[in-house]
Amino acid sequence: MTSDRSSSSPARAGLPGPGSPATPYRMTVSTALPHTDALALADQHLAAWLKREGYEEPPPPPSSLSPSAPSSPSPSAEPSGERLRLGDRVLFDRDGGPLPGGGRYDRRRLRTPAPHGASRLALTVATGPAGPTWVRLEADTHTAGGVRTPCRVPVPEVARTLLPLLDALDGPAAVQALPRVLTAAGVDRLIDELCDPDRRLPVVVASVPAGQDTDRWLADVVGPLCEHLPGLASLYVLDAAARTGFNVALEYHAVYGGAVRTYLPGVDPASRRDGGRHPVLARPRIEEDLRRAAALLAREPRRLAAGLPLPPVLAAVPEPRVPASGRAPASDRVPARPPAVDGRPAAADRTGYATGTEGVAHVREERPGPARRRDRAEEPRRIRHNLRRERRRDRRRDRRVPTGLPAGAGQGCGSYGRLCTAPGGVITPSAAPGAAPTAWPAPVHGRRSGRDVPGAPAAPVSFTELMARLGEFPLLTFTGDQKAALALDELRCAGGGWARLTWDGLTALQEYAEAAVRGRAGGDFKQWCERTPAGCHRFPPRKAVRGESRTVFSHAKWRRERMLPVPECVDASRRAFMGAHLRIGGGRTAPRLHYLDDCSGSGRIYVGYIGLHLTNTRTN
């Protein structure tokens, strides 16, 4: 059975972090219910949730929005919609109409106030001429730039209540809000679901430790562990008899001992190599911190849900558009465009919701082109990037760092959050489409290692200088005690080699983080070192270690030494085990750099220790 591991994060428009948008929630399921029944359930639960939150319930939809038989839409019918104000800063949109290839869609969009911004929810019900009814639920947040946000949008309450009533399906697999206990009689059906080619979502299978009561383990461990998974995966728990039959049938994909395994689509039960593709969350990791384990378990399903292509029926749904209608009094109408201010058109809300509306309103939303939508999405990232860039420039002003390089020097990897120019790389934030020119000096490409570009600032020759220049790595955060690193300067046996090698490791970690937060790293840092993209700084793979030995992990005192500081957004205890490390030297005094890769969570790498080798069997 493979060891537990976390996966890459979904691709994002910007660099996630404390001030970046939270990872959105995406649910796409099918149901055997007719279109009208599924829509009625959705409207009922949305209205009930609004009532519980203290907002007004939306009135019944007008006749133009009442769904007709999806199989025979009128050829001349056009999409129609309306916008309602249900309270202070609460906007509710309804639109629907025929699909181009036949069938019908209906969509509900809700915007409610949230701290420092707004929460947005969109629910779409679509049915083609033949086949099932598809339901898609999306939730995200919109916050002011620089405001701390959670790492992920929580599962909407509507998803938890709708799933059991919809009898939601992912191909042959049932998508339920709570884990379902399987006996030996259900093993064959579970194996069929795992191997079915039509399955799109992961299947999470939990085992019960020997000697533990199944119901108690389900209530105390598995339930809280699957808190973030409703709508994103099919959830099962194997009792003792089912576990035995399951592991015999799937020799290379077994799960046991209280572990939880995530089976991605496309399981090949006869392939030993395929077994390593499906991550396992081991029982010690779960019991160590259940809250943290639940977040780890949800990462892969969230990533898959964000990247899955839409089914053809949902892909045919037009862009959100709320045409004006004559239902509201003239005094309550909202003009198609916001009124001009000082001769200039007022800025529209990025979410498409008009600002300054009063009463019940019906508006017409224009459909911006792809370039315009991309510019709007990248604007907060560009602003934050430029602010960080300016602060770093101010800190280096007194150090007399060169501010430019000759033309053609930008073929290596640069600082300021720029990715290397490797195949499949990502454009720099400052070079994003529509980015406004800035007056700041150009980045010094290759400056981190000091060996990539002639004339670039050299790598530090001491740890005192290295610690002072950590701000040059925007996605790395040092959380430890500087004394351990500064003490290395007193050991002159290695000269400045240790400091330069540490700098090289930090450079490689920064470049890896830039790719990982966009889901393009292709694995963990060890794999990045083994397959470093062309143009990026290479760190020796043998010096990158994924984790400590089992002896160190199970030794209470040694493990405690490696429980290093992290922000509260990473772990509520402000401590996390940092087993992954970089070898800086050899021998009894071999320095180490310990870090926590949280690129798929908070979007950063936390360096918790730089110093002499922590205690283990050799140092003793």
Side-chain angles (χ1 to χ4, degrees), residues 556-572:
K557 180 180 177 181
W558 299 348
R559 175 182 173 80
R560 196 159 47 245
E561 288 184 5
R562 292 157 176 81
M563 292 295 295
L564 298 169
V566 292
E568 189 175 4
C569 68
V570 177
D571 195 288

Side-chain angles (χ1 to χ4, degrees), residues 45-245:
H45 285 269
L46 278 175
W49 181 85
L50 285 167
K51 185 177 181 180
R52 287 196 301 270
E53 294 296 315
Y55 304 125
E56 297 179 22
E57 293 186 59
S63 57
S64 59
L65 284 175
S66 297
S68 58
S71 58
S72 58
S74 172
S76 59
E78 291 291 335
S80 58
E82 64 174 355
R83 167 165 294 167
L84 308 174
R85 176 179 286 274
L86 305 179
D88 184 29
R89 298 172 59 203
V90 180
L91 297 178
F92 183 69
D93 288 351
R94 293 189 286 214
D95 69 303
L99 294 173
R104 180 180 174 86
Y105 82 93
D106 286 275
R107 176 167 42 208
R108 307 293 186 253
R109 293 190 300 154
L110 178 67
R111 171 171 169 165
T112 56
H116 308 292
S119 297
R120 300 176 294 190
L121 184 141
L123 192 149
T124 305
V125 179
T127 309
T133 300
W134 288 91
V135 178
R136 180 168 174 85
L137 181 65
E138 305 171 79
D140 64 1
T141 58
H142 176 74
T143 57
V147 175
R148 178 182 291 274
T149 62
C151 296
R152 67 188 63 81
V153 174
V155 178
E157 186 64 25
V158 176
R160 300 182 189 275
T161 57
L162 264 182
L163 281 172
L165 300 177
L166 288 174
D167 293 330
L169 298 171
D170 170 42
V175 183
Q176 299 179 334
L178 298 173
R180 185 175 63 175
V181 177
L182 282 186
T183 62
V187 169
D188 289 341
R189 179 177 176 82
L190 174 59
I191 295 175
D192 290 342
E193 291 179 3
L194 294 179
C195 302
D196 195 287
D198 294 332
R199 180 168 63 91
R200 294 160 45 94
L201 300 180
V203 173
V204 175
V205 179
S207 60
V208 180
Q212 291 278 357
D213 179 71
T214 300
D215 293 337
R216 184 168 183 177
W217 184 260
L218 176 63
D220 295 346
V221 178
V222 181
L225 191 63
C226 298
E227 176 70 18
H228 308 303
L229 292 178
L232 302 177
S234 300
L235 313 175
Y236 297 99
V237 180
L238 301 177
D239 66 9
R243 182 185 68 244
T244 301

Side-chain angles (χ1 to χ4, degrees), residues 319-602:
E319 291 287 333
R321 179 175 178 269
V322 185
S325 85
R327 186 178 174 208
S331 59
D332 290 338
R333 300 277 181 82
V334 176
R337 290 178 179 272
V341 178
D342 296 332
R344 295 172 299 174
D349 190 294
R350 288 193 190 98
T351 64
Y353 289 97
T355 58
T357 59
E358 299 293 340
V360 179
H362 308 267
V363 302
R364 184 184 192 88
E365 292 186 7
E366 295 194 358
R367 295 175 59 184
R372 180 68 173 171
R373 290 195 298 270
R374 187 166 56 247
D375 290 348
R376 288 178 177 177
E378 292 180 351
E379 183 179 356
R381 174 169 65 99
R382 192 164 58 246
I383 293 172
R384 289 193 299 271
H385 169 75
N386 289 339
L387 288 174
R388 289 195 300 265
R389 188 175 174 183
E390 185 180 29
R391 285 196 296 267
R392 290 196 298 271
R393 184 196 66 167
D394 293 341
R395 285 197 300 266
R396 292 195 299 269
R397 183 176 297 165
D398 296 334
R399 301 175 191 163
R400 298 180 181 179
V401 176
T403 58
L405 287 176
Q411 299 302 313
C413 287
S415 58
Y416 307 119
R418 178 183 181 275
L419 274 181
C420 54
T421 54
V426 181
I427 59 175
T428 68
S430 58
T438 64
W440 292 293
V444 183
H445 302 295
R447 56 167 286 110
R448 296 186 187 129
S449 68
R451 294 193 292 266
D452 297 332
V453 179
V461 296
S462 69
F463 282 93
T464 302
E465 181 185 357
L466 183 147
M467 299 306 292
R469 293 173 58 185
L470 283 178
E472 298 181 27
F473 302 102
L475 293 185
L476 306 186
T477 299
F478 183 75
T479 62
D481 189 348
Q482 295 191 17
K483 294 179 182 178
L486 299 179
L488 296 175
D489 285 338
E490 300 177 6
L491 302 175
R492 301 296 183 184
C493 56
W498 283 353
R500 286 192 291 270
L501 186 58
T502 303
W503 189 258
D504 290 345
L506 292 170
T507 301
L509 281 171
Q510 168 67 24
E511 293 168 353
Y512 160 77
E514 291 167 351
V517 295
R518 297 178 173 88
R520 303 189 180 185
D524 59 11
F525 181 65
K526 175 80 170 181
Q527 294 170 302
W528 173 271
C529 294
E530 293 170 347
R531 302 186 297 272
T532 306
C536 286
H537 183 77
R538 186 178 184 275
F539 188 77
R542 62 184 177 83
K543 292 184 176 293
V545 183
R546 285 192 174 99
E548 296 286 9
S549 65
R550 182 179 295 274
T551 303
V552 172
F553 187 84
S554 58
H555 194 288
K557 180 180 177 181
W558 299 348
R559 175 182 173 80
R560 196 159 47 245
E561 288 184 5
R562 292 157 176 81
M563 292 295 295
L564 298 169
V566 292
E568 189 175 4
C569 68
V570 177
D571 195 288
S573 67
R574 297 182 181 270
R575 293 272 170 177
F577 181 76
M578 297 191 186
H581 60 272
L582 307 183
R583 297 188 179 120
I584 307 302
R588 290 173 57 86
T589 60
R592 293 291 187 265
L593 182 154
H594 286 258
Y595 67 93
L596 175 68
D597 180 1
D598 198 44
C599 291
S600 58
S602 61

